Every structure is written in structure tokens, then in C-alpha cells.
Amino acid sequence: MGLVVQKYGGSSVADAEGIKRVAKRIVDAKKSGHQVVVVVSAMGDTTDELIDLAEQVSPIPAGREFDMLLTAGERISMALLAMAIKNLGHEAQSFTGSQAGVITDSVHNKARIIDVTPGRIRTALDEGNIAIVAGFQGVSQDKKDITTLGRGGSDTTAVALAAALDAEVCEIYTDVDGVFTADPRVVKKARKIDWISFEDMLELASSGSKVLLHRCVEYARRYNIPIHVRSSFSGLQGTWVSNEPRGDRKVEQAIISGVAHDTSEAKITVVGVPDKPGEAAAIFRAIADNEINIDMVVQNVSAASTGLTDISFTLPKAEGRKAIDALEKQKAGVGFESLRYDDQIAKISLVGAGMKTNPGVTAGFFEALSDAGVNIELISTSEIRISVVTRAEDVTEAVRAVHTAFGLDSDSDEAVVYGGTGR
Amino acid sequence: MGLVVQKYGGSSVADAEGIKRVAKRIVDAKKSGHQVVVVVSAMGDTTDELIDLAEQVSPIPAGREFDMLLTAGERISMALLAMAIKNLGHEAQSFTGSQAGVITDSVHNKARIIDVTPGRIRTALDEGNIAIVAGFQGVSQDKKDITTLGRGGSDTTAVALAAALDAEVCEIYTDVDGVFTADPRVVKKARKIDWISFEDMLELASSGSKVLLHRCVEYARRYNIPIHVRSSFSGLQGTWVSNEPRGDRKVEQAIISGVAHDTSEAKITVVGVPDKPGEAAAIFRAIADNEINIDMVVQNVSAASTGLTDISFTLPKAEGRKAIDALEKQKAGVGFESLRYDDQIAKISLVGAGMKTNPGVTAGFFEALSDAGVNIELISTSEIRISVVTRAEDVTEAVRAVHTAFGLDSDSDEAVVYGGTGR
């Protein structure tokens, strides 16, 4: 039996009862003969409460101090979890990100992990302890300041520790049973995926699936750490994410892994752009200089009569205002006619490694949408993904139609087990 | 202008408004030309809430993890305070006890400071920052574990940093205007003391005055750091605690510094102890082996007829049960007749360096109590203190009578300014 890293999110340790339940699960893993390292997030709404406090004292909290503040949340949950484990008669020690050797760059609020030097964790394990580590946090290499890793940081902490400790598996415990072929809140017949490749999972994550973040999957792929996403409320097997299905598990690679959707984006269309070299570059330089992340970009062929073309792109709604402002400033220089902003859109993506060798997939995707009466506004593809933009109001119907068309619907009439808390 | 260390307690930073008010005061000190180091406690009831959580997951929380948990409280308040200061346009950085170089022994929950190596604080100050330091916490020398200093730990942190940084003064901000000649809640005419010697302050602290704890005053005396106890709600001068009145302040040493009282103790009387060598030792060995702190001890001469004597001592009420149990076990061995436990007592103490040279003080003290009809049950004295034990119900009358008899009453008819929050 080897070493396992387990990660529990804030909803799993939301209160004393949750902490005690998680403690029991951890002890079970230890009893089964594993060395156990646990990464834990802040309890429930703690982080939001701390952010609220920060906003009360300062409209723009300083990065260094904001990180110092937020890391208090994991300090509380990890200490309580260690106490709860010791109360079950097993030895446990909690460690901050810094103590666990999570070394980052100095970009506060969204630091990147540079190195992991888990000497103290190794010692604690060798002495028979269960090691509890604060997720989401590290210490900067140059200044020795406390940093946080940004969204999904605890998952990344878990995978990074699993890599540094050469763990068998990184188990990500959450409030759903695993990764599904579609969001079960939208598609009642969505099926839990038993195994999915890193590549497909990366595409799902960047297409709107929220179970795992892209960054965490990317880290796991780089170090080839199998991830097991599963529920902290049930004892069921969840979804394995790895290079290959594990030897003792016969899982056929599906042609299509799943359907993802994303309603968090908006679309900006730059209308009447002169169709000559350098115009598109000027537009996207203005966007990039404002550190705005864009997603899909589409340019149509220009109408021969006018020599003008339209360029459309999608971006997070939250950055829409900033992008419009940046582009307006460039209007005279670039020479476009007008801007159109539209945040009533949805992105629907079909993901699957099988697309590479199944040329019919794209056609089937468009046919399914067409049959459902869903109009396509933008299209973008990669080797293993097709994404389209539709009206936001069509998203549910579109996802269901595609899910059914590609035979992803569950055979069972039973409702899919989704979540354990009703949250 | 030199360096000042300011310490703010939990009631001063209980909410966002309090934090902003304190930030303004700190910035004022910085603007007046000082280098400023601030030690801060956890916000309001944070520590109690964390203790409550700990008790929910484990009846006897492990020391190491308990310290990890509790130190989250100061992490929150210090980060918020640094943000609030930066919001006023001044540079501030917060530091954990560990980052500030507060090195302790490994006794969790009541660690002692072994050394202070404030290199990072010095650097932050030299770069023009206000340094905010978490009170109450440190890091253990051998294991590098997070420790807490126990009751009054933040005051001790402040004094220890002041010593290590060679500060001009350690300002302890609290919700009262300073140290008073008696508890103003009991004696309406109590006067604020402008200056008091370390020695007298030590005696007041061990006699029930709660403004400063003995441990913090002892540390300040050892390193000769003047303490200025003052209100964080008013701008008034408070009480200076130092070896000598400061050169520019002409303050005459009072004969009597003040009257302290303490209702937190109980009295145990061991009845019928054989009056022979070793009996008292056996009794107090049993107490000491159970790590029970005792305060006053009185043994009367034995009655010649029986060869038996009674031994009485006082101890914190909270340890009464443990002491009785320990002594019951020794009953046969020691050979006493019975135990009497009484927690309806009060201790009243008169403190003042002037006692050494004013032999009438003791007599005046007893007379004042006698005139007030207060019966004395035990007496204990030091060079600069007389303490008596009385019935708990007599404490208010006793303190007032003594306060008046020694001319400590304020001349003013106005109510003494006490506290700013009504708490």
C-alpha cells in the first residue's frame, strides 16, 4: 500500500459534523494501510466572510495582506480536522502551505507553484502521522511572504503534493459523485464517467465543466498523477482521470467523453473592420494590454463589395466593460465602424478523443442542434473538441439534444445521484 | 523620534469600524515621526468562537493543533489592520509571530518566549513600513511548530518586541483610561494613576488588577521598557509603568498605589494536621504534583492540648475540585482530620512602595476594615503589599473603605472616565 493524497473542499468541512465525518473517512484510509496526506480548504463560507471583512476596511485590499487574511481560513479547518482525527485515536499533524514546502512565485492572490519541498510532511508520515495540509496557500520563494494560489488552488495543492510525494493517487473529494457526461442539473440522464483521459478532461474543464479546474488537471498530466474525483458523502467509486485506464479496470475509451456548457461568457463583435494586414493585430493588442483573457475568435471573409469584415470574440462577462473601454479608445486608430456587446450567449462544447478518427462527429453535432431548432452563432474547434455559441435561452435544449444524439444518456430511469447536501 | 510599539486588544479591533479607528491612530503616530510597530489581538470574540469549534470536534483538543487553530484569529485582525492603514495612504506589512521572530519553548497553549529575532520587522521599518505583528503567538525553537503564549500573551508579545527593538515605549491600548487606584466599577471615586513603579504594578497585577498581567510587567521590568497603558477610544494620557517617573514628568511616588481585589479564588482549610515536621510538605507536594497554583498560605500555631494545627491556602476556584481530590488521596498518609472548601471569599490587597517606610499602614488597613464591619479571615504580607481574605459579600464595602481611608478618593465629583464602549 502506498501513499494517497486526499483533498476535501469547503462544502465537505462546512461545520463540526462535516469535519468529524471527513475525519472518519481519512482514518479509514489510514486503517486500510495507506500513508495519508490530506489537503483541506477553508470551511464553507469562511473565505467569503473574510473577503467581505476586507472590503469593509479597504476598497482595494493589498495583495500581500489579502493573502495573509485568506489563509486564516485553511488554518482553522486544518487544525480542527487534525483534532477530530486525534479524537478518533490516530495521530495527525496540520501544516500550513509554508510548512508543507509549497513554494510559489510572488504574484499575490494567484501565485503559481514553483517547487514543493515536503520534508516536514515526509517526516510526519514516517512517524506514523496523518498529515493535514492547508490548501490554496504557499510561501513566496524570494520574499518568504504568504501567498494564495487563486481559484481552484486547493486542488492544485493536492496534485502538487501528490507529485512531490510520489503518491499512488490524488483523491479529490467533492459534493458530486464524479465527472459527468453533462451537468446533471441540466441533463437528468447524464452518466458518471468512470475514466477519462487527461486530454479530454482538460478540454471539458476549459469548456465550462466545473468539477476540476484546467490548471489542476494540467499539473496532474505533467507529473502523471492519477486523479480520482469522488463524493465525500457516499462511498462510491467516482471518476478516474489519468493517462490510461488502470490495469485492473477495463474501461473502453469513449468516442465522446461529454458535453460541456458555459454561460459565463459574453461576445463582442467589432463591426466594419478594414480587411487589411495589421487590423486584427491592433484589436487584440488592445485587449491583451488590458490583461483580458479571450476565448473563441472568429473572423468571417470580408464582403467583396465593401472591403470590410467583422471580428467576433468571446470573453468572461466580468471583463466585458474593460474590453469595450479598451476598444473604444482604439476606434480611430483601427478604423472599425462600431462595437456590439452581447452577454445573452451560451457556449456548448462536445469533447472526445474519438473525434480525431470519427469525421462524422462534427456533422452529427450540428444536425442535433439543428433538429432542436438551435441557431449557431460562432464555431470553434480543436482536435478533440467542437464548440459553438448559441443564444443563452437555448442552452438547456441544446445540451440535452447533443447528449442524446451521441448516445450519452443513461439507460437507467433512476435519477442520477448528484450531491449529498442538496447544495 | 524613536520607535514605539503599540498593542491593541480584541475589543479595540472588534469590527471593521474599530479597525479603521485604530488604523487612524497608528497613522497619527507614524506622522508624528515615530517608527511604529503594532501588536494586535484577535478581533472581539474570534478566539472564543474558535475554542467553541474545537470543543465541537474534540473534547480535549491537542495542544499543537489548538495553537494552530487559535493563531488564525490574529492572522485575520493583523491583515485587516494592515489593509486599513494602506487605505489611509501609508505602507504597512503584517507578520505572524513566527515571521516576527518570536521564538518560544514547546509548551503549547502557554509557551514562554525564549528569544526575539525581529530581523524582518527591522527591515520593514527601515523601508518605511508600519509593521503589524500578530500578538499571542510564536514558533517553537526546536520543532518549528506554531505556539501560543496563553493569557495576556499579546501584551507580552508587545513588551518583548519593544525590548528586542529597543523601543522608547510600549503602549498598551485598552478599553479603559489606564490603571486606577481601585476597580472603577467598584469604587466610583477611583483615580487614574499617572505613574506607577514596576514593583507596585507587579503587586497590583498579582492581587487581582486585570489591566496588565504579571507576566507582561515582569518582562518589561527585566528589560526596563516603559509601558504606557491608555485608552484606544480617547486621546488621553494613561498610566506610565516604569522604573522612575520620566524626566519631563514630575510625579511624586505615592505612599499607596492602589487597592486591588480578587474574587476568583477559593480557600481550602486542612483541619487537624499533626504538628510535626514534614506534614505541610506532604500536603503541598500533593498540590504541586497536580500542577495547581496556590496563592496565600497560612498556618496557625497549634493548640498545645491536641498537637494539631490547621493549614489554609487560597487557589483559583477553577482548580478547587482538582485540589480536593488530590488531598483526599493523601488523607491517610498525611493524617489530617478533614478538608473545608470555601469559594465565597474575596481577597483585598493594599499595594504601595511607601509601606516599607510607613509602619502605620498595616494598622490603618485593619482599622479601616474593622470600622466597615468587615471580618478578616486570613492575612498575608510582602514588603509592599498587605492582603486579607474576607467574605465575598463584603468585598465592595471593604475596598471602598480602604480606598477612602488612605486618601485615594478622587477630589472630583465627576464620574471617572471608564471605558469607551460601555463594555
Side-chain angles (χ1 to χ4, degrees), chain A residues 36-319:
Chain A
V36 186
V37 176
V38 176
V39 174
V40 67
S41 302
M43 292 170 72
D45 302 323
T46 309
T47 303
D48 289 339
E49 288 164 14
L50 293 174
I51 290 172
D52 183 52
L53 269 175
E55 285 168 353
Q56 286 179 48
V57 301
S58 173
I60 310 160
R64 178 186 186 280
E65 303 307 322
F66 200 58
D67 282 354
M68 185 69 96
L69 177 73
L70 292 188
T71 51
E74 285 77 28
R75 180 170 277 238
I76 294 169
S77 54
M78 73 184 190
L80 291 171
L81 188 51
M83 287 177 196
I85 291 170
K86 290 172 83 88
N87 199 42
L88 296 174
H90 288 258
E91 287 305 313
Q93 288 195 333
S94 65
F95 297 92
T96 63
S98 170
Q99 290 176 336
V102 179
I103 316 291
T104 73
D105 62 22
S106 292
V107 184
H108 284 292
N109 308 342
K110 47 180 181 181
R112 295 196 72 83
I113 295 176
I114 296 173
D115 196 8
V116 180
T117 54
R120 288 188 68 172
I121 304 298
R122 190 69 86 181
T123 304
L125 293 172
D126 290 347
E127 289 171 354
N129 288 286
I130 295 165
I132 316 291
V133 179
F136 177 68
Q137 59 178 252
V139 62
S140 69
Q141 192 167 39
D142 51 351
K143 294 189 181 165
K144 310 292 175 221
D145 281 332
I146 304 302
T147 53
T148 64
L149 307 178
R151 239 183 112 221
S154 291
D155 288 2
T156 309
T157 302
V159 170
L161 271 172
L165 292 164
D166 200 21
E168 265 180 15
V169 56
C170 179
E171 296 183 334
I172 307 278
Y173 285 90
T174 175
D175 53 5
V176 295
D177 279 340
V179 181
F180 281 75
T181 51
D183 184 336
R185 284 167 299 192
V186 171
V187 182
K188 289 275 172 287
K189 293 200 156 192
R191 280 189 291 111
K192 190 185 73 190
I193 300 170
D194 291 328
W195 171 79
I196 185 170
S197 68
F198 284 128
E199 286 68 25
D200 281 15
M201 192 65 233
L202 283 172
E203 290 286 3
L204 280 181
S206 32
S207 302
S209 168
K210 293 185 180 59
V211 183
L212 289 178
L213 285 187
H214 189 278
R215 175 183 184 190
C216 151
V217 182
E218 180 57 49
Y219 206 110
R221 178 173 69 163
R222 196 181 330 147
Y223 293 97
N224 194 20
I225 300 296
I227 297 179
H228 186 187
V229 184
R230 56 196 306 194
S231 167
S232 71
F233 297 90
S234 77
L236 301 176
Q237 283 282 314
T239 300
W240 284 84
V241 187
S242 60
N243 262 334
E244 300 286 340
R246 299 197 306 164
D248 56 337
R249 294 171 61 84
K250 295 283 168 246
V251 182
E252 199 177 349
Q253 168 108 37
I255 294 174
I256 299 299
S257 287
V259 186
H261 70 276
D262 188 350
T263 52
S264 71
E265 296 195 342
K267 179 177 71 170
I268 289 176
T269 303
V270 189
V271 179
V273 182
D275 191 5
K276 58 185 187 195
E279 292 296 314
I283 287 169
F284 290 108
R285 169 54 55 204
I287 296 294
D289 285 350
N290 285 276
E291 292 185 4
I292 297 163
N293 292 308
I294 58 173
D295 181 18
M296 297 166 71
V297 180
V298 176
Q299 178 182 349
N300 288 331
V301 292
S302 61
S305 58
T306 60
L308 297 178
T309 187
D310 298 344
I311 296 177
S312 294
F313 60 89
T314 62
L315 76 176
K317 281 180 191 169
E319 303 196 331

Side-chain angles (χ1 to χ4, degrees), chain B residues 64-363:
Chain B
R64 179 186 186 279
E65 303 308 323
F66 200 58
D67 282 352
M68 186 68 96
L69 177 73
L70 292 188
T71 52
E74 285 77 29
R75 179 170 278 237
I76 294 169
S77 56
M78 75 183 189
L80 291 171
L81 189 52
M83 287 177 196
I85 291 170
K86 290 171 83 86
N87 199 43
L88 296 174
H90 287 259
E91 288 305 313
Q93 290 194 334
S94 66
F95 298 92
T96 64
S98 171
Q99 290 177 335
V102 178
I103 316 291
T104 73
D105 61 22
S106 293
V107 183
H108 284 293
N109 308 342
K110 48 180 179 179
R112 297 196 70 83
I113 295 177
I114 295 173
D115 195 7
V116 180
T117 55
R120 290 188 68 172
I121 303 298
R122 189 69 86 181
T123 304
L125 293 173
D126 290 346
E127 290 171 354
N129 288 286
I130 294 164
I132 316 290
V133 179
F136 177 67
Q137 57 178 254
V139 61
S140 69
Q141 192 166 39
D142 51 352
K143 293 188 183 166
K144 309 294 176 217
D145 281 333
I146 304 302
T147 53
T148 63
L149 307 178
R151 241 185 111 220
S154 291
D155 288 1
T156 308
T157 303
V159 170
L161 270 172
L165 292 164
D166 200 20
E168 265 179 15
V169 56
C170 179
E171 295 183 335
I172 306 278
Y173 284 89
T174 176
D175 54 5
V176 295
D177 279 340
V179 181
F180 282 75
T181 51
D183 185 335
R185 283 168 298 193
V186 171
V187 181
K188 289 274 172 290
K189 293 201 156 192
R191 280 189 292 112
K192 189 185 73 190
I193 300 171
D194 291 327
W195 171 78
I196 185 172
S197 67
F198 285 128
E199 285 68 24
D200 281 16
M201 192 65 233
L202 283 172
E203 291 285 3
L204 280 180
S206 32
S207 302
S209 168
K210 293 185 179 60
V211 184
L212 289 178
L213 286 187
H214 189 279
R215 176 182 183 191
C216 151
V217 182
E218 180 58 47
Y219 206 109
R221 178 173 71 163
R222 197 182 330 146
Y223 293 98
N224 194 19
I225 300 295
I227 297 178
H228 186 187
V229 184
R230 57 196 304 194
S231 167
S232 72
F233 296 89
S234 76
L236 302 176
Q237 283 283 313
T239 300
W240 285 84
V241 187
S242 60
N243 261 333
E244 299 287 338
R246 299 198 305 164
D248 57 337
R249 295 172 59 85
K250 295 282 167 248
V251 182
E252 199 178 349
Q253 167 106 37
I255 293 175
I256 299 299
S257 287
V259 186
H261 70 275
D262 188 351
T263 52
S264 71
E265 297 195 339
K267 180 178 71 171
I268 290 177
T269 302
V270 189
V271 179
V273 182
D275 191 5
K276 58 185 185 193
E279 292 296 315
I283 287 169
F284 291 107
R285 169 55 54 203
I287 295 294
D289 285 351
N290 285 277
E291 294 186 4
I292 296 163
N293 291 308
I294 57 171
D295 180 19
M296 296 166 70
V297 180
V298 177
Q299 178 181 347
N300 288 332
V301 291
S302 61
S305 57
T306 61
L308 297 178
T309 186
D310 298 345
I311 296 177
S312 295
F313 59 90
T314 62
L315 78 174
K317 280 179 190 170
E319 303 196 331
R321 182 76 258 159
K322 197 161 59 157
I324 293 288
D325 288 348
L327 289 172
E328 285 290 359
K329 285 188 198 144
Q330 303 296 322
K331 190 170 178 181
V334 178
F336 58 85
E337 288 177 353
S338 62
L339 293 174
R340 261 188 249 139
Y341 178 77
D342 178 0
D343 63 7
Q344 295 303 306
I345 62 162
K347 183 173 74 166
I348 293 140
S349 304
L350 187 65
V351 171
M355 280 186 207
K356 292 187 212 176
T357 48
N358 285 272
V361 168
T362 305

Side-chain angles (χ1 to χ4, degrees), chain A residues 346-369:
Chain A
K347 183 173 74 166
I348 293 138
S349 304
L350 187 66
V351 171
M355 281 186 206
K356 292 187 212 175
T357 49
N358 285 272
V361 169
T362 306
F365 184 54
F366 295 157
E367 280 161 18
L369 291 171

Side-chain angles (χ1 to χ4, degrees), chain A residues 379-394:
Chain A
I379 300 170
S380 145
T381 60
S382 81
E383 254 196 330
I384 60 172
R385 175 185 52 77
I386 317 171
S387 300
V388 297
V389 165
T390 69
R391 287 291 86 200
E393 66 202 34
D394 290 338

